[in-house]
Each structure stands twice: as structure tokens, then as C-alpha cells.
């Protein structure tokens, strides 16, 4: 696991308000909910880059929203869990949502991601992978989008 | 008055073994053949036609060969200079380019027909309305040309006339590959191509165009078979008469339909053949979208008898000695789409001849198997491209029209890149086919090249489209399965062929 998710897990073990605050932060633009600052800022102390700061706040909120006590099963990438959900529900809308997510720009991404993660509450998401992929979201080669697409379609085709 | 005798005048372009270039007459070209490296003209059609013309002269001068022993004797001892000289002396009067009675390869009976610009002699110079990019001649008002140039084009016209209908028949060669095994000098090249007659009787019925009286027009029979190799190699597909200017040059010609060639049952020694399910034995031709090397196995001899006789004969002459094998094969010719009488393209390519042919009768099968591996991998690539095209065009909601799909796939660079990557490697493989090389080793390396080319072609395509929108990303990911399956299959076969390291 990356340092950030470990950090959040340790905070969660010590303070029961962590997840509630971070979950509420999803209603605001990432990094715009002051009550969440004490839980994220210490990890970002030297980080000035705007996108990296937004991604950390977003992932923190999504992690909190998705967290379940005693969740089992190996954690997988977002592409893989979307594929699993697609196969389990046989719903045509899952693929459409997934495509829409891949097409999101920086402004659209938080909202679409929030909706998608909400849909996947039964699946175990690898948040380290999520963080890594979101940090590279604006890469010219679209490596994150391609990787998730590969994970999705290799499981569903 | 007779002018420009092809026996003496300098008109055949050659490269000597010392690298210098000259133009020689028929006699010097044949008698100095061991000093000549190759016949070389900018036009592959002229190059091919000159070889065939010289062979026609040799067949008549030597009255053979009629068996392999005679052929081997000439190969070893050299062309019999005295017989060649005697023959040329006997027929000297038929080799004047300009003559009142017997102009070479021409017919005075067409003197009253309409004049045409000399460009009609050249298949490469399409009419003005169909010009190709680097052809700057104008067919309406071209400048006058020298006799030596007209002589070259005249022989090329006999071999490479194409048909536009209206009574104009094709020469024996259009749309066929022509294969000339090249030796270390012209003597060897001519000997490789001097395929023996089946027997003396066939030889006795053969004759060359210049030995016969010019045909009266109209011709008695529109089409006929060739009566032997000399007849075949300078076929009067057109009746021509050059109009000589006072300067000695040529601006216009008389040009009418000539003798039609009946292909049925014919077997041109320079051509490879294939068996078509419905039409039987057919010559192998060039295809616009398929490079020649992909059909290279059709040039190699085996028991089927479909390879060019010139290459079979060359291997027999070599008698198992690698240093007597041809150094390479020249493959040349043109392609056109009848009834449109315009040349689409012409090609001149050179291939190394696998040395293993000297003593291994299975080289054709082995090379054929290598090519099939490449074709099979390309089918996977094509399937991947088709799936990508389908998902780009329709997003999976409906099946796109076939023509839209094929149009989309054709403009993708994937397959052309794949083939071009393999082509250079294939030429190297041919050079690696030595007598002591293990064919399994060659196969393993080739499979590795094919797998790498397949992977890289697809990776390049993916990199090019990966920056697209999500639907494009979806399309490329959904299309990957055939490529990965084929890559895995090739990997498994490579592993089987890889020598196991001994464990001590």
C-alpha cells in the first residue's frame, strides 16, 4: 500500500471521526472543506502542485465513503472492479458510466468518480492504484485511462 | 540505305566486372560475356527484354542446348565464340535497325498506317491523360530519340505489350513475374537462363523473328503458340516501323496490332506458376498490395515443377557446388488491369538465393512454411484492426457496412508497418540459409521476428490512438485479444524450438 492509504488507515484506527469528515468533504470541491485539512495536510506538507493536492483530498473522501468493516476479497483496480460489477449486474449502464469516467477531464473527474465508487460498494477497490492512476490522469499518453480500460475489457470480452 | 546494325553498334547497356559502364553490340555482349557483370537499363522492362533477346540469339546460334550435358558444357567452357560469330554473320542483313527490306523486329507492310509518337513503344510512358508523377514525356510532342534507345524499346515492346482491346493482343509476359538468376558475370547469367529444349525436334521447329519473312497484313491467324524459346523471347506483339529522320533519329513510328499469343499450354522458362482451383496452372503475377517477397517460395524449385525453369536449371548447373549457384535472382515485370491499357506499376527486385538449395530439395517447403507463419500472424493483426475499426465506427451498437470497415482498415498503418519490418529481415534469412545451418534454428529466429513485428506493430498503433477519447481507448483494448493470443502461440512454439541448456 502507498504511504497515503496507510496514513488514513492509521488515523481511522485512532479517531472515529476521520471517515465521517472525509466522507462529508465529497460534497465540496477537493481541498475546499476545511474540516478535512487536519487529516490530509500533514501528509501533503511539502506539496504545492495543485492537481496532486486535489487528488489526495478526493481519494481520501472516496476511501472514506467506500470503507466497510471486515471487507474481504483482494483489492483490485477500478477497471477490474467495474468489470466485476458489470458481470454481476449485467447492466448496460455500467459500461456507459465507465466510458464516461474515462473521458472525464480534471473538472469532471471528482463527480463522475464519486458516482462510480458509490456504485461499487460491494467490491474491494485498490485505493493505492486509484491514487496512482489519478495522479497521472492528465498524462499525454492517457496511461491511466488505458490501463483501466484494459482491466475492464479483458475481464468482460 | 541500311543503317545502325545491332550486331556492331553500341546499344546494349552493360556494367563491366570492373564497375565501369559501356554500351555494346550483340556480338561483343556475347563474346565478352565473362567481362560483363550485368545488363542494366533504367527501365526494368528493357533489362528483362534484352536478356530474352540475347537468349533468343543464343538458342539459334547454338541450335540448343537440347540436354543438360550440352548446357553444362557451355557453362564450363564458355559461349562458343565461333558459332556465335558465324550465326551473326549469316543473319547480318536482318539486324539493321533501318533497312529497305528487313528492318530488325519491324514490318515494312505497316508503312502506310498512321504515324504515332515514339512513346507508344514504351509501356512506362502512359498517354498524357494518365501520366504518373515522374514521367515528364509528352505523348503529343515528344522530342526525337536516338536509334539505340529505339532499339531497346523495340525489344521491350515485343515482350511487354499490354492490351487495350480493339484487336491489340498482349505479349507473352504482361502481368507475370519474370525471374532471371544472376551469376557472377553475364556468361553465367545467360547459361542459367539457357534452359535446354525438351528435345532436338522441338529445337528444329524453333525460329526467331528476324529469321522469318515479315508477315503480310492482315495476319492469317490472330493468335498462335510459340514454336520454341527463340520465338517466345522476341514475340511480334506489335507490327512496328520506325520513321528515320534525316538526322538519323526517330520521332514517329508506325504501330499496329501484331501477333496474338496463345497462352494455353505454354510454359515460359522465366515464370513461376501456381495451381488455381478453377483455372489450373496460372502464372504468378505482381499484386499492388502484396510485396514480391511474400510469394518468394514460388520461385524456388521442388518436385512440383512450378518454379521458373531458369532457376531449376541454374541449380542443376551448379551441381551441388555453392560457388556455382547464382548470386541472386532478379524478379521484374509490370502490372496492369485489363482492359485499361495503362501500366499500374512495374517492379525490379533482387533476392539472395538460399545457398542450401545447392543440396537441399526441401528449401522451398521450409521457406513456404516461414512465409505462412508471417501470413498467419498478419491475419491476427488484421482481425485486431477489424475489431478496432468496428468499435470506432459503431461503438458496438450495430455492425458497420463491410465497405466502411474495409476502408477504415486499409487506411491503418498497422499491416504495412508489419510487412515492411519483416521484409528486411526476410532478405537476411535468405542469406542465412547456408548448407550447414540448422533449419530449426532459422525457423526459431524467424518466429521471434514475426512475434516481435506483430507486437510492435500493434503497440505502435495503440500508442498512436491511446490519446484519443474513451471510445477509441475502448476500441483498441477490445481489439487486442487476437494479437495477444497469436503472440502467446508464437511464444510457445519458440520455446519448443529453443535448445534446452544441459543441466550438469
Amino acid at each position: 500500500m502507498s504511504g497515503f492509504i496507510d496514513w488514513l488507515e492509521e488515523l481511522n484506527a485512532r479517531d472515529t471521526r476521520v471517515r465521517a469528515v472525509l466522507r462529508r468533504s465529497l460534497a465540496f470541491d477537493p481541498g475546499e472543506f476545511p474540516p478535512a485539512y487536519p487529516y490530509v495536510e500533514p501528509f501533503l506538507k511539502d506539496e504545492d502542485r495543485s492537481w496532486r493536492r486535489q487528488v489526495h483530498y478526493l481519494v481520501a473522501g472516496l476511501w472514506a465513503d467506500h470503507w466497510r468493516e471486515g471487507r474481504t476479497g483482494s483489492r483490485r483496480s477500478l477497471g477490474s472492479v467495474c468489470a466485476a460489477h458489470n458481470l454481476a449486474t449485467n447492466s448496460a449502464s455500467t459500461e456507459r458510466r465507465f466510458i464516461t469516467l474515462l473521458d472525464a477531464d480534471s473538472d469532471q473527474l471528482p463527480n463522475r468518480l464519486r458516482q462510480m465508487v458509490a456504485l461499487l460498494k460491494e467490491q474491494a477497490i485498490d485505493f493505492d492504484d486509484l491514487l496512482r492512476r489519478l495522479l497521472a490522469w492528465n498524462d499525454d499518453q492517457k496511461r491511466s485511462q488505458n490501463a483501466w480500460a484494459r482491466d475492464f475489457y479483458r475481464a468482460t470480452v | 540505305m541500311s543503317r545502325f546494325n545491332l550486331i556492331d553498334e553500341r546499344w546494349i547497356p552493360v556494367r563491366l566486372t570492373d564497375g565501369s559502364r559501356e554500351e555494346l553490340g550483340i556480338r561483343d555482349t556475347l563474346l565478352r560475356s565473362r567481362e560483363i557483370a550485368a545488363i542494366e537499363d533504367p527501365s526494368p522492362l528493357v533489362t528483362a527484354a534484352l536478356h530474352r533477346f540475347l537468349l533468343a540469339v543464343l538458342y539459334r546460334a547454338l541450335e540448343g542446348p537440347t540436354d543438360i550435358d550440352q548446357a553444362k558444357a557451355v557453362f564450363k567452357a564458355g559461349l562458343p565464340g565461333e558459332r556465335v560469330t558465324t550465326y551473326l554473320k549469316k543473319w547480318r542483313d536482318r539486324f539493321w535497325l533501318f533497312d529497305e527490306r528487313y528492318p530488325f523486329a519491324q514490318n515494312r507492310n505497316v508503312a502506310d498506317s498512321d504515324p504515332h509518337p515514339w512513346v507508344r513503344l514504351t509501356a512506362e510512358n502512359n498517354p498524357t491523360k494518365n501520366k504518373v508523377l515522374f514521367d515528364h514525356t509528352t505523348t503529343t510532342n515528344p522530342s526525337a530519340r536516338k536509334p539505340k534507345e529505339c532499339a531497346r524499346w523495340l525489344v521491350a515492346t515485343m515482350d511487354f505489350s499490354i492490351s487495350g482491346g480493339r484487336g491489340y493482343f498482349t505479349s507473352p509476359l504482361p502481368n507475370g513475374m519474370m525471374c532471371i538468376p544472376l551469376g557472377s558475370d553475364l556468361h553465367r547469367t545467360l547459361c542459367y537462363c539457357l534452359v535446354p529444349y525438351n528435345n532436338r525436334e522441338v529445337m528444329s521447329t524453333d525460329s526467331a523473328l528476324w529469321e522469318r519473312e515479315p508477315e503480310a497484313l492482315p495476319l492469317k491467324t490472330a493468335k498462335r503458340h510459340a514454336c520454341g524459346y527463340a520465338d517466345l523471347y522476341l514475340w511480334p506483339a506489335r507490327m512496328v516501323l520506325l520513321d528515320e529522320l534525316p538526322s538519323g533519329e526517330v520521332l514517329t513510328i508506325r504501330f499496329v496490332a501484331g501477333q496474338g499469343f496463345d497462352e494455353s499450354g505454354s510454359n515460359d522458362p522465366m515464370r513461376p506458376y501456381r495451381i488455381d482451383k478453377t483455372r489450373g496452372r496460372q502464372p504468378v503475377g505482381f499484386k499492388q498490395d502484396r510485396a514480391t517477397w511474400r510469394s518468394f517460395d514460388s520461385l524456388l524449385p521442388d518436385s512440383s515443377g512450378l518454379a521458373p525453369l531458369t532457376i531449376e536449371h541454374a541449380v542443376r548447373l551448379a551441381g551441388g557446388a555453392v560457388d556455382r549457384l547464382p548470386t541472386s535472382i532478379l524478379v521484374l515485370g509490370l502490372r496492369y488491369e485489363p482492359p485499361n491499357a495503362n501500366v499500374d506499376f512495374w517492379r525490379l527486385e533482387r533476392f539472395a538465393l538460399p545457398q542450401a538449395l545447392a543440396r537441399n530439395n526441401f528449401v522451398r517447403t521450409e521457406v513456404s512454411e516461414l512465409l505462412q507463419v508471417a501470413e498467419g500472424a498478419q491475419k491476427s493483426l488484421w482481425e485486431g484492426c477489424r475489431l478496432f475499426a468496428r468499435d470506432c465506427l459503431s461503438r458496438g451498437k450495430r455492425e458497420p457496412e463491410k465497405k466502411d470497415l474495409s476502408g477504415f482498415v486499409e487506411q491503418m498503418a498497422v499491416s504495412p508497418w508489419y510487412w515492411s519490418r519483416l521484409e528486411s529481415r526476410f532478405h537476411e534469412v535468405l542469406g542465412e540459409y547456408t548448407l550447414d545451418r540448422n533449419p530449426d534454428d532459422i525457423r526459431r529466429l524467424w518466429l521471434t521476428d514475426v512475434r516481435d513485428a506483430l507486437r510492435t506493430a500493434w503497440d505502435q498503433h495503440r500508442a498512436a490512438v491511446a490519446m484519443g477519447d474513451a471510445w477509441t481507448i475502448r476500441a483498441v483494448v477490445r481489439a487486442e485479444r487476437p494479437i495477444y493470443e497469436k503472440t502467446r502461440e508464437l511464444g510457445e512454439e519458440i520455446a519448443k524450438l529453443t535448445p534446452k541448456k544441459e543441466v550438469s
Side-chain angles (χ1 to χ4, degrees):
Chain A
M1 284 214 255
S2 82
F4 186 58
I5 304 300
D6 277 341
W7 165 269
L8 294 174
E9 289 287 353
E10 278 171 25
L11 281 179
N12 183 49
R14 291 201 306 265
D15 184 349
T16 54
R17 292 170 301 168
V18 168
R19 283 186 286 112
V21 169
L22 291 176
R23 205 163 43 236
R24 211 171 306 129
S25 75
L26 286 176
F28 298 82
D29 287 341
E32 301 295 321
F33 184 59
Y37 293 173
Y39 303 118
V40 180
E41 284 301 324
F43 191 84
L44 292 176
K45 51 182 181 296
D46 294 326
E47 185 55 73
D48 287 332
R49 288 167 287 184
S50 166
W51 177 246
R52 291 182 70 86
R53 292 179 62 78
Q54 286 180 52
V55 164
H56 279 83
Y57 274 99
L58 176 61
V59 169
L62 293 172
W63 167 84
D65 192 43
H66 189 72
W67 196 93
R68 294 286 181 278
E69 182 77 44
R71 187 196 297 276
T72 56
S74 57
R75 297 171 200 274
R76 293 176 290 172
S77 72
L78 194 76
S80 297
V81 300
C82 285
H85 179 75
N86 189 40
L87 286 169
T89 60
N90 203 23
S91 163
S93 66
T94 305
E95 187 189 6
R96 271 201 309 277
R97 284 178 187 273
F98 180 69
I99 295 285
T100 308
L101 173 64
L102 294 186
D103 247 349
D105 59 26
S106 321
D107 293 329
Q108 297 162 326
L109 186 62
N111 195 39
R112 293 184 187 179
L113 202 47
R114 201 166 36 242
Q115 290 174 359
M116 182 59 89
V117 169
L119 209 59
L120 302 171
K121 43 182 163 316
E122 303 307 321
Q123 310 286 341
I125 298 175
D126 181 346
F127 278 90
D128 285 298
D129 178 74
L130 184 70
L131 177 66
R132 189 162 51 87
R133 294 294 180 199
L134 292 184
L135 287 173
W137 195 254
N138 301 314
D139 167 49
D140 286 343
Q141 298 288 318
K142 293 195 173 180
R143 274 180 267 254
S144 300
Q145 292 87 330
N146 275 274
W148 280 353
R150 204 164 295 125
D151 291 343
F152 182 89
Y153 288 107
R154 281 187 186 168
T156 56
V157 170
Chain B
M1 188 178 139
S2 306
R3 262 196 8 92
F4 203 91
N5 195 293
L6 301 183
I7 293 173
D8 312 307
E9 295 282 358
R10 293 170 176 272
W11 66 286
I12 299 175
V14 300
R15 174 170 52 84
L16 302 181
T17 50
D18 65 6
S20 59
R21 294 184 182 274
E22 273 197 58
E23 286 170 345
L24 301 174
I26 299 170
R27 183 183 48 237
D28 281 347
T29 304
L30 293 176
L31 298 188
R32 291 174 59 189
S33 59
R34 285 202 200 266
E35 298 169 43
I36 298 169
I39 295 172
E40 285 177 357
D41 187 273
S43 162
L45 308 184
V46 167
T47 302
L50 286 173
H51 280 89
R52 287 167 79 88
F53 166 64
L54 290 171
L55 287 165
V57 172
L58 281 178
Y59 274 118
R60 298 306 295 150
L62 272 51
E63 291 181 322
T66 53
D67 56 50
I68 187 64
D69 291 325
Q70 283 186 14
K72 281 184 175 175
V74 172
F75 184 64
K76 198 172 167 187
L79 298 178
E82 208 172 303
R83 287 195 78 160
V84 169
T85 310
T86 304
Y87 177 80
L88 292 175
K89 202 170 166 183
K90 175 183 173 187
W91 292 100
R92 183 178 178 76
D93 286 346
R94 301 296 180 99
F95 284 99
W96 294 105
L97 193 63
F98 305 106
D99 189 74
E100 291 297 322
R101 293 185 65 202
Y102 299 109
F104 171 77
Q106 298 164 70
N107 192 325
R108 289 217 72 86
N109 294 325
V110 307
D112 295 331
S113 62
D114 293 333
H116 295 270
W118 62 260
V119 287
R120 286 212 69 177
L121 285 177
T122 60
E124 300 101 312
N125 298 124
N126 286 343
T128 301
K129 62 182 185 295
N130 281 322
K131 279 297 173 193
V132 293
L133 185 60
F134 294 107
D135 173 15
H136 296 262
T137 56
T138 63
T139 49
T140 47
N141 190 21
S143 51
R145 306 310 294 228
K146 296 190 171 77
K148 63 181 179 182
E149 293 171 304
C150 294
R152 292 177 210 143
W153 290 325
L154 202 51
V155 294
T157 295
M158 299 302 149
D159 278 334
F160 290 102
S161 285
I162 57 181
S163 169
R166 293 176 292 141
Y168 283 80
F169 296 109
T170 62
S171 295
L173 271 182
N175 281 340
M177 274 186 209
M178 217 187 75
C179 303
I180 300 176
L182 295 177
S184 49
D185 54 49
L186 183 62
H187 162 71
R188 283 197 167 191
T189 298
L190 291 173
C191 286
Y192 293 142
C193 296
L194 211 58
V195 172
Y197 288 100
N198 287 338
N199 52 58
R200 286 203 72 81
E201 202 174 309
V202 170
M203 186 277 296
S204 66
T205 59
D206 198 5
S207 67
L209 179 60
W210 58 84
E211 294 172 344
R212 301 192 291 265
E213 287 295 314
E215 296 272 1
L217 298 176
L219 296 172
K220 286 185 209 140
T221 46
K223 277 189 173 186
R224 64 170 177 85
H225 292 103
C227 52
Y229 295 140
D231 187 22
L232 177 69
Y233 282 171
L234 194 70
W235 186 263
R238 299 290 180 267
M239 301 294 178
V240 178
L241 186 66
L242 306 178
D243 293 335
E244 187 189 8
L245 294 173
S247 62
E249 292 179 317
V250 173
L251 188 61
T252 58
I253 60 173
R254 312 292 157 155
F255 187 93
V256 302
Q259 182 71 67
F261 179 70
D262 188 341
E263 265 196 15
S264 57
S266 79
N267 188 11
D268 191 308
M270 291 188 175
R271 277 190 168 189
Y273 288 85
R274 61 181 176 85
I275 302 296
D276 182 85
K277 282 179 218 165
T278 45
R279 294 179 298 157
R281 189 182 168 94
Q282 295 291 311
V284 176
F286 292 109
K287 290 184 188 169
Q288 185 132 18
D289 56 352
R290 186 185 171 92
T292 310
W293 71 272
R294 290 168 62 186
S295 306
F296 183 76
D297 55 329
S298 68
L299 309 186
L300 300 177
D302 67 354
S303 57
S304 68
L306 296 172
L309 293 177
T310 47
I311 299 180
E312 272 188 29
H313 181 60
V315 173
R316 286 185 79 187
L317 282 182
V322 167
D323 63 332
R324 290 203 289 259
L325 270 182
T327 54
S328 57
I329 307 174
L330 202 59
V331 182
L332 31 68
L334 63 79
R335 166 105 193 136
Y336 84 108
E337 201 63 51
N340 186 5
N342 289 318
V343 173
D344 291 335
F345 62 88
W346 56 91
R347 285 190 190 160
L348 184 149
E349 300 183 59
R350 195 188 295 258
F351 295 90
L353 195 64
Q355 282 187 1
L357 257 186
R359 287 180 219 152
N360 178 352
N361 293 334
F362 299 106
V363 173
R364 176 172 171 140
T365 304
E366 287 161 15
V367 170
S368 179
E369 285 170 0
L370 296 186
L371 293 173
Q372 280 169 32
V373 167
E375 297 289 339
Q378 194 272 339
K379 283 197 174 84
S380 305
L381 203 55
W382 189 91
E383 179 61 14
C385 291
R386 188 191 70 81
L387 293 172
F388 175 77
R390 182 199 64 187
D391 282 348
C392 278
L393 288 171
S394 71
R395 297 184 177 179
K397 288 177 191 153
R398 57 169 179 82
E399 196 65 22
E401 295 283 335
K402 271 193 183 146
K403 62 176 174 55
D404 293 335
L405 259 183
S406 57
F408 193 109
V409 172
E410 268 167 31
Q411 56 86 35
M412 290 172 72
V414 185
S415 288
W417 190 93
Y418 168 82
W419 286 121
S420 78
R421 164 95 176 227
L422 281 182
E423 179 172 1
S424 58
R425 185 61 195 118
F426 182 76
H427 284 282
E428 290 170 12
V429 164
L430 291 182
E432 288 163 11
Y433 245 109
T434 54
L435 284 172
D436 54 2
R437 190 70 191 268
N438 183 346
D440 279 349
D441 208 34
I442 296 175
R443 184 179 173 87
R444 177 177 58 81
L445 292 173
W446 178 249
L447 288 172
T448 308
D449 289 324
V450 169
R451 184 191 59 182
D452 291 349
L454 176 68
R455 230 189 245 157
T456 311
W458 188 255
D459 285 349
Q460 286 195 337
H461 167 65
R462 186 177 48 231
V465 303
M467 297 168 282
D469 64 15
W471 288 106
T472 309
I473 294 171
R474 171 184 182 264
V476 76
V477 168
R478 277 163 58 94
E480 286 173 342
R481 182 183 290 264
I483 287 94
Y484 289 143
E485 282 177 358
K486 192 63 174 179
T487 307
R488 194 177 53 240
E489 186 187 307
L490 290 170
E492 284 166 4
E493 202 184 334
I494 291 166
K496 283 183 201 160
L497 291 169
T498 304
K500 305 278 184 287
K501 284 190 186 149
E502 287 189 7
V503 178
S504 55

